[in-house]
Amino acid sequence: MLLYIHVPFCDSKCFYCAFNSYVDKYHLKDLYVEALIKDLEFNLKKYVNKDKNIETIFIGGGTPSTLNMYHYQKIFDTLKPYLSYTKEITIEANPNSASNEWLQNIFDLGVKRVSFGVQSFRDDKLNFLGRNHTQNRAIKAIQEAKDIGFEHINLDLIYGCDIDTKENMLQDIQIANSLPVDHISAYSLTIEEDTKFYNTPSVKIDDYELSLYIFEELKRAGFKQYEISNFAKGKGAVSKHNLGYWEYKEYIGCGSGAVGRVANNRYYKDRSVENYIKDPLAYCEIEKLSDNDILTEKVLLGLRSMVGVDTSLIDSSKVDILLREDKVYIKENRVYLKDYLIADEVALYLF
């Protein structure tokens, strides 16, 4: 069982961001955390038992580093009775709001993995994306996290912008590799509704060759790709929480806009912070997953990651064709895709 906790507050709204996050609701922080505690208490009591433990926790957003330490003290006081079997606790952070003091305090609470929303080490690109930090601040935050003792440090990079070239993406990778970072999440820019970039879709480029180049340079730097967007320096640096999603483990989602899945039910919390505060236990939707839905999701998630797909779940004749075309390989009765970028197309073919 995985646990995801959502923090909807942000320092600023990036031009590409469609996540459930807000820059104008800071006055609701205290009330939000009170509601979140009720949400956590209810779901932990309901789902965690001797057969189902909390394996990993991920605190995401929004920007989790916008919450104060007294907020996190309350949250971790609630979590403490359920942490006996927890293997990993991760928190996302913005380089600006993740001060040295904040990082030290969150580390002291037991968080040993931090993920910085860096996106780029080029100030011109950070301005282009609407980020509010600089190259120097990102580098300093990463170094401070290492000095404090965080065991694993991730940073996010965005590519696929119309100002990207192989040369400047290589620059980002080289700077990242010079820092104490053992995990990189590299995401292709997406254009979504209700974002500033939605009105200027030309800022995105679809360049398959650029993607392959970035993946190859990350590999050259020692970051092994284990999912379409994730790269780790060694098995120990792999995100256990994210891997749990691709292994189709059950997960609890707490917070406004959070999503959870237990058995064949996927539930969605209200995205409105105000509505969530009024009733943190309510769901705005519960989706019943059919056996076919679950099969489809297992195949797609497996194909786009190191998890692979059990051969019993897919048509062997189609797998044979993919083998002949050198798109997949089989190991210990599981099918693995050689190029994660074509996962969607292969999944469509298989179904």
Side-chain angles (χ1 to χ4, degrees):
M1 179 76 73
L2 319 176
L3 172 63
Y4 174 77
I5 299 172
H6 189 73
V7 177
F9 308 105
C10 257
D11 299 317
S12 62
K13 194 72 171 177
C14 302
F15 300 159
Y16 56 85
C17 180
F19 293 140
N20 189 43
S21 60
Y22 307 91
V23 299
D24 58 350
K25 299 185 186 296
Y26 273 37
H27 61 289
L28 296 174
K29 281 184 183 179
D30 289 348
L31 291 175
Y32 182 82
V33 171
E34 288 178 16
L36 180 62
I37 297 300
K38 293 177 184 176
D39 193 0
L40 285 167
E41 287 176 339
F42 176 82
N43 280 284
L44 291 170
K45 287 178 182 177
K46 181 176 181 180
Y47 293 118
V48 180
N49 52 54
K50 64 178 182 179
D51 298 317
K52 290 185 179 180
N53 304 302
I54 297 299
E55 297 178 49
T56 62
I57 299 171
F58 193 101
I59 305 171
T63 307
S65 49
T66 57
L67 286 186
N68 299 320
M69 205 43 54
Y70 68 85
H71 293 132
Y72 281 111
Q73 190 63 62
K74 291 180 179 180
I75 291 169
F76 275 81
D77 284 347
T78 305
L79 295 174
K80 190 174 180 179
Y82 302 92
L83 299 181
S84 299
Y85 299 94
T86 303
K87 302 172 185 175
E88 175 187 272
I89 305 176
T90 304
I91 195 164
E92 292 182 330
N94 181 292
N96 270 357
S97 52
S99 66
N100 186 277
E101 180 182 9
W102 186 91
L103 287 167
Q104 181 66 65
N105 287 332
I106 206 75
F107 177 84
D108 291 343
L109 286 175
V111 181
K112 298 300 185 284
R113 187 182 189 103
V114 62
S115 178
F116 289 105
V118 172
Q119 314 312 347
S120 177
F121 289 103
R122 293 163 38 222
D123 286 339
D124 65 321
K125 185 171 176 179
L126 292 171
N127 289 330
F128 170 85
L129 294 170
R131 300 294 294 174
N132 67 352
H133 67 269
T134 63
Q135 176 200 76
N136 289 339
R137 179 54 208 161
I139 291 172
K140 186 178 180 182
I142 291 168
Q143 291 172 332
E144 287 174 342
K146 179 61 177 178
D147 291 342
I148 286 168
F150 281 89
E151 295 172 5
H152 300 291
I153 300 174
N154 174 72
L155 61 83
D156 294 344
L157 293 178
I158 283 182
Y159 65 92
C161 308
D162 64 356
I163 61 172
D164 286 339
T165 64
K166 289 182 178 179
E167 290 74 21
N168 55 39
M169 287 307 306
L170 177 60
Q171 178 186 346
D172 273 348
I173 293 169
Q174 289 175 333
I175 294 174
N177 196 39
S178 72
L179 296 168
V181 169
D182 63 359
H183 190 286
I184 291 177
S185 299
Y187 299 109
S188 176
L189 176 68
T190 56
I191 304 297
E192 299 187 58
E193 288 189 60
D194 300 321
T195 66
K196 187 171 181 178
F197 276 164
Y198 186 70
N199 296 319
T200 55
S202 60
V203 299
K204 174 181 171 56
I205 56 172
D206 290 309
D207 190 333
Y208 180 74
E209 292 303 319
L210 177 63
S211 300
L212 291 181
Y213 174 80
I214 292 167
F215 295 174
E216 186 59 36
E217 289 302 324
L218 284 168
K219 179 180 178 182
R220 195 189 307 276
F223 293 91
K224 182 179 179 181
Q225 187 178 26
Y226 68 95
E227 192 264 348
I228 191 168
S229 301
N230 286 279
F231 305 77
K233 277 193 172 180
K235 187 176 180 181
V238 170
S239 169
K240 294 181 177 67
H241 186 86
N242 286 342
L243 192 62
Y245 290 135
W246 304 319
E247 291 172 333
Y248 215 69
K249 291 182 177 180
E250 295 176 314
Y251 55 98
I252 300 168
C254 293
S256 67
V259 180
R261 185 191 64 81
V262 179
N264 66 335
N265 292 321
R266 181 178 286 124
Y267 60 83
Y268 302 81
K269 292 296 182 74
D270 199 312
R271 289 172 62 90
S272 164
V273 175
E274 291 83 355
N275 289 345
Y276 176 78
I277 289 171
K278 289 177 184 176
D279 188 356
L281 305 185
Y283 304 133
C284 65
E285 180 185 354
I286 298 178
E287 179 186 8
K288 292 285 186 181
L289 300 171
S290 67
D291 290 344
N292 189 61
D293 290 333
I294 293 172
L295 173 61
T296 301
E297 291 179 2
K298 283 183 176 180
V299 170
L300 181 56
L301 291 170
L303 287 175
R304 63 178 287 161
S305 70
M306 64 183 286
V307 173
V309 182
D310 192 293
T311 53
S312 66
L313 299 180
I314 46 183
D315 186 332
S316 59
S317 63
K318 290 186 176 181
V319 172
D320 288 341
I321 292 172
L322 291 171
L323 283 168
R324 288 198 296 270
E325 294 181 355
D326 201 30
K327 303 294 185 185
V328 301
Y329 66 95
I330 296 178
K331 182 179 179 181
E332 297 178 355
N333 295 318
R334 297 191 75 82
V335 179
Y336 299 92
L337 199 56
K338 291 188 174 183
D339 180 1
Y340 297 145
L341 287 171
I342 62 170
D344 290 353
E345 291 86 343
V346 171
L348 286 171
Y349 168 71
L350 290 172
F351 287 108

